[in-house]
Amino acid sequence: MTGALATYGALAAKAKALYGKRLRTADFAHMAALKSEAALVDYLRGRPGWQAAAAQLGESWGGYIGRVELEAALRNQLRQDYLSLQHFAPRADKELLAFPVRLAEQGEILTALRRLRAGDYYKGPPAVSRISMPLQVDVKALALCRDYDGLIAAAAGSIYEGTLRHLRPAAGGQPDFTAAEALLRTAYFRHIYGVIYKKYAGETRRVLLRGFGEQVDLLNLLHILRLKTYFPGEGSGRYLTILFPFHYRLRPAFTQQLCAAPDAPAVFELLKGSPYAGCFQEVDVAQVEDYYRRALFHFSRRQLMAGTPSVYTAVAYLNVKEAELQALVNVIESVKYGVPYDAALAELIGA
């Protein structure tokens, strides 16, 4: 413990200090009762964890707050927290702690691919973020590329370049979006696993593998259940294009059994004998995605507050902050668009 505190004490203290600025259940309830997004932004100006985002919204769009502007400002708040944690991280941990950057790159690539497949070849220059991130992709080139080769060129040097080249159709055009999304996510997890096995051992490796491994297991279960529910009759080849080739507690042989099940109820029945039996009692497919988010939140908060200080303390905080962002987006959309307010989520995040 002494060594961990000496190495990660400052990082853990910073993460917990940032967590102390979180929105509470009463904050969410108060915001959900407001009548306009302007009033909501005014309220956020007084909440230390989101002041910078609220200030950006108030300055930049003259009172108009669209979904794109909203999420850009909120994501900038996450970026600011991420960079402040990076300042306290040992040099050896920088590669792993760059996981939000790798996810941001993946998002930029998928946005560009979605635009190309829609045949929309020019959207104008991308918005400039106030918080600079060390991306390995050329964001401007991705926003302006007119074909798939241009997309590949814009992603050159990133962890996704090889996957994009592998996906390039021999006859030209764009690859299947679902397959591309699955393989890009696989490239991300392959990179993360490689860093974990290369740089970490002992308890830190165990916690990292559990944190990222349960994500992989639950995402694979979610993919299988979605296919069984919304695309019945799909062959095993369809599953192989979207499942991650990694596992934590779900063994490959059991995953094959799940894929061979005739429908979603049969998958739920098989899961009763799995390590995740307690997660899937009396739930439907839509609730599985909700469970995935909540399970990641619970594990991350526990590691943040009570785990031995390590690089995962920072990872855990960023996971918790991401969950808070999603709850905040829900509140804002409930005010702006009449989307149902998820009080249960707000209570979980704000406890």
Side-chain angles (χ1 to χ4, degrees):
M1 177 69 81
T2 302
L5 284 174
T7 304
Y8 294 104
L11 178 65
K14 180 63 176 178
K16 290 179 181 180
L18 289 171
Y19 183 58
K21 299 177 181 180
R22 70 192 182 278
L23 294 170
R24 305 304 175 100
T25 302
D27 292 315
F28 288 116
H30 178 85
M31 288 187 291
L34 295 174
K35 302 301 182 183
S36 70
E37 60 268 27
L40 199 151
V41 171
D42 283 340
Y43 185 79
L44 284 177
R45 288 195 182 99
R47 314 269 63 84
W50 296 96
Q51 283 177 333
Q56 181 180 346
L57 286 167
E59 295 169 9
S60 300
W61 292 287
Y64 172 74
I65 305 171
R67 183 181 179 89
V68 172
E69 293 84 1
L70 168 66
E71 293 204 1
L74 297 180
R75 290 253 162 236
N76 275 341
Q77 184 78 64
L78 260 70
R79 290 182 173 192
Q80 186 170 320
D81 285 4
Y82 164 73
L83 292 175
S84 66
L85 288 173
Q86 278 274 25
H87 178 73
F88 292 94
R91 183 183 299 272
D93 294 313
K94 299 290 187 182
E95 189 175 11
L96 179 74
L97 205 52
F99 79 95
V101 182
R102 306 287 83 85
L103 285 173
E105 292 165 352
Q106 183 186 120
E108 296 286 354
I109 291 169
L110 289 170
T111 296
L113 182 58
R114 192 178 291 111
R115 176 177 58 81
L116 288 178
R117 289 187 59 82
D120 190 0
Y121 295 112
Y122 183 77
K123 295 293 286 185
V128 177
S129 170
R130 294 188 175 193
I131 311 297
S132 177
M133 298 281 275
L135 300 181
Q136 295 175 347
V137 300
D138 186 331
V139 175
K140 183 175 181 180
L142 281 171
L144 301 178
C145 67
R146 295 172 178 270
D147 55 33
Y148 189 68
D149 285 340
L151 186 151
I152 293 174
S158 72
I159 66 170
Y160 303 107
E161 180 184 3
T163 299
L164 291 170
R165 292 190 180 281
H166 172 74
L167 283 165
R168 187 180 185 276
Q174 288 81 44
D176 175 77
F177 185 85
T178 300
E181 183 178 31
L183 289 175
L184 288 170
R185 288 179 175 176
T186 295
Y188 164 75
F189 280 114
R190 182 180 294 112
H191 169 76
I192 293 296
Y193 272 52
V195 173
I196 292 172
Y197 280 108
K198 179 175 67 175
K199 295 194 170 184
Y200 300 96
E203 178 65 10
T204 300
R205 178 189 283 185
R206 186 191 70 78
V207 172
L208 287 168
L209 287 177
R210 179 176 177 184
F212 287 99
E214 286 198 352
Q215 287 187 59
V216 170
D217 281 354
L218 290 169
L219 284 170
N220 275 342
L221 288 175
L222 181 58
H223 293 330
I224 291 171
L225 284 165
R226 279 177 171 168
L227 279 177
K228 295 294 183 185
T229 300
Y230 303 117
F231 302 96
E234 291 281 358
S236 60
R238 177 68 167 170
Y239 292 87
L240 296 176
T241 64
I242 66 168
L243 295 185
F244 301 117
F246 315 108
H247 61 86
Y248 178 62
R249 293 198 292 172
L250 286 181
R251 297 305 175 191
F254 184 71
T255 301
Q256 290 175 13
Q257 283 184 269
L258 297 175
C259 292
D263 50 31
V267 172
F268 280 119
E269 189 65 29
L270 285 170
L271 287 172
K272 292 179 180 179
S274 79
Y276 296 101
C279 311
F280 299 104
Q281 295 178 358
E282 300 181 0
V283 298
D284 59 26
V285 173
Q287 291 173 309
V288 172
E289 185 166 5
D290 183 60
Y291 173 80
Y292 161 72
R293 291 193 297 266
R294 291 169 185 268
L296 180 60
F297 176 81
H298 279 301
F299 178 72
S300 296
R301 184 169 62 181
R302 186 165 59 251
Q303 289 299 316
L304 171 63
M305 301 307 297
T308 301
S310 72
V311 64
Y312 196 80
T313 308
V315 175
Y317 170 75
L318 293 168
N319 287 340
V320 167
K321 186 72 170 184
E322 175 71 30
E324 185 182 350
L325 182 150
Q326 296 304 322
L328 180 55
V329 168
N330 169 255
V331 171
I332 294 173
E333 291 188 336
S334 74
V335 172
K336 186 174 176 63
Y337 303 115
V339 172
Y341 167 52
D342 191 340
L345 176 63
E347 184 174 355
L348 172 70
I349 302 301

